């Protein structure tokens, strides 16, 4: 009686299982290296962006004083030797801009609060901080 082979002849039906395992290992290593490189780039970009921001601000509140005025309050973090400028705007109920102004922070502190009363074209219903920067960047 003839014996039937338990394994397929080498090279006859495509690649062997050892070639597949080697290819799988190689793809896993390449994927791991690319993943680590991507994470390193994202980390570097985040740290670079944060460290280059010399002035950052946050809208802390606003109060509609009348149909023509709104008081906007901002908190700022900056380097001690930097003069900061923040731009704020007021918006009407339909979203249109009805007022815009700037708050200048030139005190030698790193954490400051300031406010500005904006004159508006019509009644404002909201305020927005559009951005902060160092005065020499304007």
């Amino acid at each position: 009686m003839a014996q039937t082979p338990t394994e397929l002849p080498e090279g006859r039906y495509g690649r062997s299982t050892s070639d597949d395992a080697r290819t799988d290992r190689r793809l896993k290593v390449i994927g791991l290296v690319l993943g680590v490189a991507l994470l390193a780039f994202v980390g570097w970009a985040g740290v670079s962006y944060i460290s280059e921001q010399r002035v950052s601000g946050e809208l802390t509140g606003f109060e509609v004083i009348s149909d023509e005025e709104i008081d906007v309050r901002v908190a700022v973090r900056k380097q001690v030797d930097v003069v900061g400028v923040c731009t704020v705007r007021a918006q009407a109920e339909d979203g249109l801009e009805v007022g815009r102004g700037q708050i200048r922070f030139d005190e030698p502190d790193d954490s400051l609060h300031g406010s500005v009363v904006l004159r508006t074209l019509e009644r404002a219903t909201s305020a927005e901080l559009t951005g902060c920067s160092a005065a020499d960047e304007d």
Side-chain angles (χ1 to χ4, degrees), residues 16-115:
S16 68
T17 56
S18 64
D19 287 343
D20 287 343
R22 225 174 306 142
T23 301
D24 285 347
R25 248 182 278 122
R26 189 176 306 132
L27 287 174
K28 287 178 185 177
V29 168
I30 290 171
L32 179 67
V33 168
L34 289 176
V36 168
L38 177 66
L39 284 176
F41 173 75
V42 168
W44 170 80
V47 168
S48 174
Y49 176 75
I50 289 171
S51 66
E52 287 180 13
Q53 275 192 325
R54 299 185 346 180
V55 180
S56 65
E58 177 182 356
L59 182 73
T60 58
F62 65 90
E63 179 183 351
V64 178
I65 299 171
S66 69
D67 286 346
E68 293 86 28
E69 291 183 324
I70 185 170
D71 180 27
V72 183
R73 295 177 295 280
V74 175
V76 169
R77 296 186 70 77
K78 65 179 189 68
Q79 296 172 355
V80 174
D81 58 341
V82 172
V83 175
V85 177
C86 292
T87 304
V88 293
R89 71 180 188 161
Q91 293 176 300
E93 188 172 357
D94 59 3
L96 291 176
E97 181 177 301
V98 293
R100 179 177 285 260
Q102 291 186 331
I103 307 172
R104 186 174 177 91
F105 297 93
D106 50 7
E107 295 88 3
D109 285 329
D110 62 350
S111 181
L112 301 165
H113 295 273
S115 68

